[in-house]
Amino acid sequence: MKEENTRPVLSISLLCSGRNREEMTKCLDSLMTIRTRMSSEIVVVDTGCGPDTKPLLGRYADKVVEFTWCDDFAKARNAGLKECTGEWFMFIDDDEQFENTDAIVDFFNSGEYRKYDKAEYIIRNFIN
């Protein structure tokens, strides 16, 4: 999905277990609102998806990293980080999603990100 010889501004690494296909698809769709509006890449870390899920991942991801789950989120996140090429790195899990990505996209597209070493966003749990 990304152009050859260009470094994306943002790498998004998604830990994907494939346990809930509907939630995973919502997550991926919400990431595409970033992916299509700014210089970015999506690297999916497959921590146990079934064969029926892998083609879906390929439609969204720039790269899919196979990872044998070992009960260690840090190792899985680091496996994704190793494959990312962007200036900035963001991670997300397949049971999370963005309602609105305008602030993130605006932060990067405006160039404001160049003033900072890190950024964060608020996560809300709407279930509990």
Side-chain angles (χ1 to χ4, degrees):
M1 287 187 160
K2 65 182 176 182
E3 295 177 27
E4 292 300 315
N5 301 321
T6 60
R7 183 176 184 201
V9 173
L10 178 64
S11 292
I12 304 167
S13 180
L14 167 66
L15 293 189
C16 191
S17 67
R19 287 184 303 232
N20 185 324
R21 188 179 177 108
E22 182 180 340
E23 288 297 314
M24 179 188 67
T25 302
K26 286 179 184 178
C27 175
L28 288 162
D29 286 342
S30 78
L31 295 179
M32 291 307 288
T33 65
I34 297 170
R35 181 72 184 93
T36 59
R37 296 171 55 208
M38 62 170 285
S39 171
S40 57
E41 69 179 347
I42 297 174
V43 174
V44 173
V45 179
D46 178 354
T47 63
C49 294
D52 59 322
T53 305
K54 293 183 187 298
L56 176 67
L57 298 179
R59 289 197 299 268
Y60 288 90
D62 294 285
K63 183 179 281 188
V64 176
V65 178
E66 299 294 330
F67 181 83
T68 302
W69 183 245
C70 59
D71 256 353
D72 191 330
F73 283 94
K75 283 184 181 179
R77 292 202 200 293
N78 284 333
L81 178 59
K82 284 180 189 175
E83 299 299 322
C84 290
T85 62
E87 296 175 50
W88 281 58
F89 174 76
M90 178 178 81
F91 65 82
I92 189 168
D93 296 337
D94 66 353
D95 61 351
E96 301 170 327
Q97 66 191 40
F98 288 100
E99 279 191 345
N100 185 318
T101 59
D102 290 346
I104 292 171
V105 171
D106 291 347
F107 175 74
F108 287 105
N109 281 343
S110 71
E112 184 180 358
Y113 73 94
R114 292 183 184 99
K115 298 178 192 175
Y116 302 97
D117 294 325
K118 66 176 183 163
E120 56 187 53
Y121 54 90
I122 297 171
I123 299 172
R124 293 187 178 94
N125 181 340
F126 290 104
I127 296 172
N128 297 326

